[in-house]
């Protein structure tokens, strides 16, 4: 992992041979960035990572998840799904990179398809929640949404088990850092505006026209 990414790290949640971390490096484009990774400690150093998936979730969706967390709605939904044996996701995010953008970046897939990246929050059988990320081939639909086309066989798969409290930490810490970033962004803009307003007017010649040097 690069030093730049470490500096952007907000919080990391570890599970067995995998983790998910929240990063602040996409706030400027209105996204929360989550890295999902799995590893094998039996492999040589530098070759231990087995899967890595980058998930970008709209800040508005993160804030809505936080609202459900703090209001108790998400816990109620989790308990209800567990009681009824409902395996549908509590939350799902569909994203990725279109085939056109992959071509522009020089990373065209061998199958010519788009790259689908999905994240799901589902109830766990031995723990409260599983935060799951998958990636693989996808197709861009008429609305511009990248729909996964890998069925039950993604090219990359990371499933991070966690308690409800740990998931709350992950999301609420992300929200706190975003709010701090947004405050700093507005303060920086206000400072720039004030500095521009404080600039003295350029000197004026006797003829009344601006004199430039």
């Amino acid at each position: 992992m690069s030093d730049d990414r470490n500096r952007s790290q907000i919080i990391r949640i570890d599970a067995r041979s995998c983790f998910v971390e929240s990063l602040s490096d996409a706030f400027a484009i209105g996204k929360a960035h989550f890295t999902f990774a799995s590893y094998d400690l039996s492999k040589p150093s530098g070759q231990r990572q087995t899967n890595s998936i980058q998930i970008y979730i709209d800040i508005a969706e993160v804030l809505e998840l936080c609202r459900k967390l703090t209001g108790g709605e998400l816990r109620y939904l989790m308990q209800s799904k567990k009681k009824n044996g409902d395996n549908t996701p509590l939350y799902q995010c569909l994203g990725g990179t279109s085939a056109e953008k992959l071509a522009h970046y020089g990373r065209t897939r061998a199958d010519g398809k788009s790259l689908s990246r999905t994240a799901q929050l589902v109830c766990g059988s031995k723990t409260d929640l599983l935060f799951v990320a998958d990636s693989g081939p996808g197709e861009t639909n008429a609305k511009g949404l990248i729909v996964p086309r890998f069925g039950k066989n993604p090219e990359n798969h990371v499933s991070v088990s966690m308690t409800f409290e740990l998931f709350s930490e992950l999301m609420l810490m992300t929200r706190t850092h975003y709010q701090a970033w947004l405050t700093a962004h507005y303060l920086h803009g206000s400072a720039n505006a004030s500095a521009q307003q404080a600039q003295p007017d350029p000197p004026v010649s006797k003829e009344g026209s601006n004199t430039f040097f």
Side-chain angles (χ1 to χ4, degrees), residues 97-109 112-115 138-141 144 146:
T97 307
S98 67
E100 291 75 17
K101 286 187 177 180
L102 289 174
H104 177 73
Y105 299 146
R107 301 203 305 266
T108 302
R109 292 174 53 89
K113 292 185 178 294
S114 299
L115 174 63
E139 293 180 353
T140 307
N141 65 16
I146 298 175

Short mmCIF file of all heavy atoms in Angstrom, two decimals, residues 97-109 112-115 138-141 144 146:
data_model
loop_
_atom_site.label_atom_id
_atom_site.label_comp_id
_atom_site.label_asym_id
_atom_site.label_seq_id
_atom_site.Cartn_x
_atom_site.Cartn_y
_atom_site.Cartn_z
N THR A 97 -16.25 0.67 -14.13
CA THR A 97 -15.68 1.49 -15.19
C THR A 97 -16.15 0.95 -16.53
O THR A 97 -16.05 -0.25 -16.79
CB THR A 97 -14.14 1.45 -15.13
OG1 THR A 97 -13.70 1.81 -13.82
CG2 THR A 97 -13.53 2.42 -16.14
N SER A 98 -16.67 1.83 -17.37
CA SER A 98 -17.21 1.41 -18.67
C SER A 98 -16.09 0.94 -19.59
O SER A 98 -14.91 1.28 -19.41
CB SER A 98 -17.96 2.57 -19.33
OG SER A 98 -17.05 3.60 -19.68
N ALA A 99 -16.47 0.16 -20.59
CA ALA A 99 -15.50 -0.34 -21.57
C ALA A 99 -14.82 0.82 -22.30
O ALA A 99 -13.63 0.76 -22.61
CB ALA A 99 -16.21 -1.26 -22.57
N GLU A 100 -15.59 1.89 -22.54
CA GLU A 100 -15.04 3.06 -23.23
C GLU A 100 -13.95 3.73 -22.39
O GLU A 100 -12.88 4.10 -22.89
CB GLU A 100 -16.14 4.06 -23.55
CG GLU A 100 -17.15 3.61 -24.60
CD GLU A 100 -18.15 2.59 -24.07
OE1 GLU A 100 -18.27 2.47 -22.82
OE2 GLU A 100 -18.79 1.91 -24.90
N LYS A 101 -14.19 3.88 -21.10
CA LYS A 101 -13.19 4.50 -20.23
C LYS A 101 -11.98 3.59 -20.06
O LYS A 101 -10.84 4.08 -20.01
CB LYS A 101 -13.81 4.82 -18.87
CG LYS A 101 -14.74 6.02 -18.89
CD LYS A 101 -15.17 6.41 -17.50
CE LYS A 101 -16.05 7.66 -17.52
NZ LYS A 101 -16.49 8.06 -16.15
N LEU A 102 -12.20 2.29 -19.98
CA LEU A 102 -11.08 1.36 -19.88
C LEU A 102 -10.18 1.49 -21.11
O LEU A 102 -8.94 1.48 -21.00
CB LEU A 102 -11.58 -0.08 -19.74
CG LEU A 102 -12.22 -0.46 -18.40
CD1 LEU A 102 -12.79 -1.87 -18.48
CD2 LEU A 102 -11.22 -0.37 -17.26
N ALA A 103 -10.80 1.62 -22.28
CA ALA A 103 -10.04 1.78 -23.52
C ALA A 103 -9.25 3.09 -23.50
O ALA A 103 -8.09 3.14 -23.91
CB ALA A 103 -10.97 1.74 -24.73
N HIS A 104 -9.89 4.15 -22.99
CA HIS A 104 -9.23 5.45 -22.91
C HIS A 104 -8.02 5.39 -21.98
O HIS A 104 -7.00 6.04 -22.25
CB HIS A 104 -10.23 6.49 -22.40
CG HIS A 104 -9.63 7.86 -22.20
ND1 HIS A 104 -9.30 8.69 -23.25
CD2 HIS A 104 -9.30 8.54 -21.06
CE1 HIS A 104 -8.79 9.81 -22.79
NE2 HIS A 104 -8.78 9.75 -21.46
N TYR A 105 -8.13 4.62 -20.91
CA TYR A 105 -7.03 4.49 -19.95
C TYR A 105 -5.99 3.45 -20.39
O TYR A 105 -4.99 3.25 -19.71
CB TYR A 105 -7.57 4.08 -18.57
CG TYR A 105 -8.52 5.07 -17.95
CD1 TYR A 105 -9.58 4.64 -17.15
CD2 TYR A 105 -8.36 6.44 -18.14
CE1 TYR A 105 -10.45 5.55 -16.57
CE2 TYR A 105 -9.24 7.36 -17.56
CZ TYR A 105 -10.28 6.89 -16.79
OH TYR A 105 -11.15 7.79 -16.21
N GLY A 106 -6.25 2.77 -21.51
CA GLY A 106 -5.34 1.74 -21.98
C GLY A 106 -5.41 0.46 -21.18
O GLY A 106 -4.44 -0.30 -21.11
N ARG A 107 -6.58 0.19 -20.58
CA ARG A 107 -6.75 -1.00 -19.76
C ARG A 107 -7.93 -1.85 -20.24
O ARG A 107 -8.67 -2.43 -19.44
CB ARG A 107 -6.97 -0.60 -18.29
CG ARG A 107 -5.84 0.21 -17.69
CD ARG A 107 -5.81 0.09 -16.17
NE ARG A 107 -7.08 0.46 -15.57
CZ ARG A 107 -7.37 1.67 -15.11
NH1 ARG A 107 -6.48 2.66 -15.23
NH2 ARG A 107 -8.53 1.93 -14.54
N THR A 108 -8.10 -1.94 -21.56
CA THR A 108 -9.20 -2.71 -22.13
C THR A 108 -9.16 -4.17 -21.66
O THR A 108 -8.10 -4.80 -21.66
CB THR A 108 -9.15 -2.67 -23.67
OG1 THR A 108 -9.19 -1.31 -24.10
CG2 THR A 108 -10.31 -3.43 -24.28
N ARG A 109 -10.31 -4.69 -21.26
CA ARG A 109 -10.40 -6.09 -20.86
C ARG A 109 -10.28 -7.00 -22.08
O ARG A 109 -10.65 -6.62 -23.19
CB ARG A 109 -11.73 -6.35 -20.15
CG ARG A 109 -11.87 -5.69 -18.79
CD ARG A 109 -13.29 -5.90 -18.23
NE ARG A 109 -13.66 -7.29 -18.23
CZ ARG A 109 -13.42 -8.15 -17.23
NH1 ARG A 109 -12.82 -7.71 -16.14
NH2 ARG A 109 -13.78 -9.40 -17.31
N GLY A 112 -13.50 -7.39 -23.72
CA GLY A 112 -14.09 -6.16 -24.25
C GLY A 112 -15.21 -5.59 -23.42
O GLY A 112 -15.81 -4.58 -23.80
N LYS A 113 -15.51 -6.18 -22.27
CA LYS A 113 -16.62 -5.73 -21.44
C LYS A 113 -16.20 -4.60 -20.49
O LYS A 113 -15.02 -4.29 -20.35
CB LYS A 113 -17.20 -6.90 -20.65
CG LYS A 113 -17.91 -7.96 -21.50
CD LYS A 113 -18.54 -9.01 -20.61
CE LYS A 113 -19.29 -10.05 -21.44
NZ LYS A 113 -20.46 -9.45 -22.13
N SER A 114 -17.20 -4.04 -19.85
CA SER A 114 -16.95 -3.06 -18.80
C SER A 114 -16.48 -3.79 -17.55
O SER A 114 -16.63 -5.02 -17.43
CB SER A 114 -18.23 -2.27 -18.48
OG SER A 114 -18.69 -1.55 -19.61
N LEU A 115 -15.90 -3.06 -16.61
CA LEU A 115 -15.51 -3.63 -15.33
C LEU A 115 -16.57 -3.28 -14.29
O LEU A 115 -16.79 -2.11 -14.01
CB LEU A 115 -14.15 -3.09 -14.88
CG LEU A 115 -13.70 -3.50 -13.46
CD1 LEU A 115 -13.52 -5.01 -13.37
CD2 LEU A 115 -12.41 -2.77 -13.08
N GLY A 138 -18.84 -6.70 -16.76
CA GLY A 138 -20.14 -6.06 -16.67
C GLY A 138 -20.53 -5.44 -17.99
O GLY A 138 -19.74 -5.40 -18.94
N GLU A 139 -21.75 -4.95 -18.05
CA GLU A 139 -22.26 -4.28 -19.25
C GLU A 139 -22.92 -2.98 -18.83
O GLU A 139 -23.59 -2.90 -17.80
CB GLU A 139 -23.26 -5.16 -20.00
CG GLU A 139 -22.64 -6.41 -20.62
CD GLU A 139 -23.66 -7.26 -21.34
OE1 GLU A 139 -24.88 -6.94 -21.25
OE2 GLU A 139 -23.27 -8.25 -21.98
N THR A 140 -22.75 -1.94 -19.65
CA THR A 140 -23.36 -0.65 -19.38
C THR A 140 -24.76 -0.61 -19.98
O THR A 140 -24.93 -0.83 -21.18
CB THR A 140 -22.50 0.49 -19.98
OG1 THR A 140 -21.16 0.36 -19.51
CG2 THR A 140 -23.06 1.85 -19.58
N ASN A 141 -25.76 -0.35 -19.15
CA ASN A 141 -27.14 -0.33 -19.66
C ASN A 141 -27.49 1.05 -20.22
O ASN A 141 -26.66 1.96 -20.27
CB ASN A 141 -28.14 -0.77 -18.58
CG ASN A 141 -28.19 0.19 -17.40
OD1 ASN A 141 -27.72 1.33 -17.45
ND2 ASN A 141 -28.80 -0.27 -16.30
N GLY A 144 -26.66 4.12 -18.25
CA GLY A 144 -25.25 4.35 -17.91
C GLY A 144 -24.78 3.57 -16.70
O GLY A 144 -23.64 3.70 -16.27
N ILE A 146 -23.51 0.31 -14.76
CA ILE A 146 -22.76 -0.89 -15.11
C ILE A 146 -23.34 -2.07 -14.35
O ILE A 146 -23.26 -2.14 -13.12
CB ILE A 146 -21.26 -0.70 -14.81
CG1 ILE A 146 -20.70 0.45 -15.65
CG2 ILE A 146 -20.49 -1.99 -15.10
CD1 ILE A 146 -19.28 0.81 -15.35
#
